[in-house]
Amino acid sequence: MSTPTPTPTITRTYRVAVKHGDDYTTVEETITLSLDASDEDVQRAVDLGWHIFAAQREASEAQIDQIRAAAPEPAPEPASDGQRKLIDALADELRWPDVDLDAFAAARGITGWGALTKRQASSMIDAMKAAKVEDERQRAEERAAPPPAAPAAPAPDPDQLARARQVQAEAHARAGMAPPDQGPRRPVAIRDPEAPASDPQIALIRRKVAERDDASLKALAPEIAALFGATTIEIKRLRAATTWVDLRDRDDPAKRLTKGRASDLITLLDREERRAAA
């Protein structure tokens, strides 16, 4: 009995490496056909091969998903000592107290420094560096800005200056001194109250008496007379220009118009003037 001659065939093998995330699956399919296979036979073989490949891929993916679901999540890597030191250094450069640093961290989801992860520390450092750049920019602008202009001094009131000069002149007259020059002066005092009244004092007394009416002079007459140790003094005598020179030249020191009494008399007339103005 003769051995049948084997039909010549052709074999083709397909290998595919399929990536699933970080994993790979190798799929291999071998198709063997006779040399006289028709186009329909070839197409059926190809279709069958793709069908087997799809079924194997689906089964592999399901198995990989099961393995990944069962595997525990890797623990996050803790922050390094270098990262923690850099965070502290940046906080010092920004002049942040601990409460500000904690608030800055809490705004980024960091609620405890002990559990700080490497990723959280990296994000924190980037944010603090950006804050430092902004802080330096603002400080540079403040240094470059011109200082605020000083407020302009108000213009002096001419009426107020005139009143001040008048008061000053009268103060010098009370002290028996000549009227001052224009410009500020220190307050004056009577250096020798027992000396005879000066010409400026007598001139000021005459002017102030001339400004008073008879009624006001009559009311002041007893006080004026008391300055010279008298009971009364006539209004006519008060208005006489020679009265004050005569009083200054008296020999009796108790009744002499001295610089001290002249100053008291001017003060008395000023008081009456203020009372009339009120």
Side-chain angles (χ1 to χ4, degrees):
M1 182 176 180
S2 61
T3 302
T5 303
T7 303
T9 61
I10 182 170
T11 301
R12 185 68 178 268
T13 302
Y14 298 91
R15 292 185 180 88
V16 179
V18 181
K19 184 177 182 181
H20 305 276
D22 296 332
D23 301 317
Y24 288 88
T25 300
T26 301
V27 179
E28 180 178 305
E29 297 292 340
T30 301
I31 299 175
T32 301
L33 293 172
S34 62
L35 292 179
D36 57 354
S38 64
D39 293 340
E40 290 78 3
D41 294 335
V42 173
Q43 186 62 46
R44 283 196 300 272
V46 171
D47 292 342
L48 178 60
W50 279 112
H51 180 71
I52 295 172
F53 168 76
Q56 289 179 333
R57 178 175 180 177
E58 183 178 353
S60 298
E61 290 178 349
Q63 185 178 10
I64 291 172
D65 290 341
Q66 291 176 358
I67 294 173
R68 287 177 176 172
E73 289 289 336
E77 189 175 358
S80 65
D81 292 340
Q83 287 178 312
R84 293 179 180 273
K85 290 179 181 178
L86 183 54
I87 290 174
D88 291 339
L90 288 171
D92 290 340
E93 293 175 4
L94 287 165
R95 294 179 296 279
W96 285 357
D98 290 343
V99 63
D100 289 348
L101 181 61
D102 291 343
F104 191 80
R108 285 152 183 79
I110 301 172
T111 57
W113 295 108
L116 184 67
T117 66
K118 183 180 287 291
R119 179 172 296 182
Q120 288 175 328
S122 178
S123 176
M124 181 81 171
I125 290 170
D126 291 341
M128 293 181 72
K129 286 181 177 179
K132 179 184 174 184
V133 170
E134 178 63 18
D135 181 70
E136 291 175 348
R137 183 189 65 79
Q138 291 180 359
R139 291 181 179 275
E141 290 180 354
E142 292 174 359
R143 289 192 296 268
D157 183 0
D159 294 338
Q160 186 177 5
L161 289 177
R163 289 192 297 270
R165 293 191 184 102
Q166 181 180 355
V167 170
Q168 191 176 36
E170 293 181 358
H172 279 75
R174 289 190 186 95
M177 300 175 60
D181 297 333
Q182 298 297 331
R185 297 274 184 158
R186 292 182 179 179
V188 295
I190 300 175
R191 298 178 181 176
D192 189 4
E194 297 302 323
S198 66
D199 290 338
Q201 283 180 311
I202 291 177
L204 183 59
I205 291 171
R206 287 173 179 171
R207 180 174 66 79
K208 289 186 175 293
V209 168
E211 292 173 352
R212 303 275 72 76
D213 57 22
D214 289 348
S216 64
L217 284 178
K218 186 176 180 180
L220 289 174
E223 295 183 72
I224 296 174
L227 289 175
F228 302 99
T231 304
T232 60
I233 188 170
E234 297 178 356
I235 295 177
K236 182 178 179 180
R237 182 163 170 74
L238 290 176
R239 293 193 183 279
T242 58
T243 298
W244 309 108
V245 177
D246 293 342
L247 289 173
R248 180 182 63 181
D249 295 338
R250 281 192 175 187
D251 295 332
D252 185 358
K255 297 182 179 181
R256 184 184 302 156
L257 180 60
T258 62
K259 286 185 177 181
R261 289 192 180 94
S263 178
D264 293 340
L265 180 55
I266 294 170
T267 301
L268 182 62
L269 294 169
D270 284 343
R271 185 193 68 189
E272 181 62 23
E273 182 178 355
R274 289 193 297 271
R275 184 182 301 170

